[in-house]
Amino acid sequence: MASVRELKKDINFLASELITEAYVKQLVKEDVNNDKIAEVMVKAIEFRNDLVAKANHPDAKNNPKKVKAYYQNLRKSMMEQFLSISEETNAL
């Protein structure tokens, strides 16, 4: 299992990718709505903050199997949220 440190690095990387994607979209497309871009950026920051908080405080700390399952579900949730926000950015 990857460490919590690596998980947080992945979370930070994905959040920065979402924000970068939104900035590039804003610079490249002239007809993009700046309010919608700002909403996507706020979602990316909330995505990051929420997942880091969850990574710092796992459920059932005394049961290794539950902790492992918790982090696996967290990674799955992370990827689903990342794809959702990325698709939203591409739709702008």
Side-chain angles (χ1 to χ4, degrees):
M1 184 174 115
S3 69
V4 175
R5 181 177 173 211
E6 291 295 321
L7 177 62
K8 288 183 199 177
K9 284 183 179 181
D10 291 344
I11 292 168
N12 286 327
F13 173 75
L14 291 176
S16 69
E17 286 296 310
L18 289 171
I19 291 172
T20 302
E21 185 178 347
Y23 273 130
V24 169
K25 180 73 80 168
Q26 186 178 28
L27 291 173
V28 172
K29 287 186 83 176
E30 295 176 5
D31 61 340
V32 72
N33 187 345
N34 288 333
D35 292 334
K36 289 184 180 180
I37 291 289
E39 288 177 20
V40 169
M41 288 182 189
V42 168
K43 281 185 183 181
I45 293 169
E46 289 173 352
F47 159 79
R48 184 236 174 248
N49 292 341
D50 182 48
L51 288 175
V52 168
K54 287 180 181 178
N56 286 332
H57 303 290
D59 293 338
K61 290 183 181 180
N62 297 331
N63 189 340
K65 289 183 181 181
K66 287 186 179 180
V67 170
K68 184 175 181 177
Y70 176 81
Y71 282 116
Q72 287 173 344
N73 288 334
L74 186 64
R75 279 199 176 272
K76 182 180 176 184
S77 172
M78 175 182 71
M79 292 308 297
E80 289 171 355
Q81 288 179 352
F82 172 76
L83 290 174
S84 171
I85 296 171
S86 180
E87 288 172 356
E88 187 176 332
T89 304
N90 289 336
L92 295 177

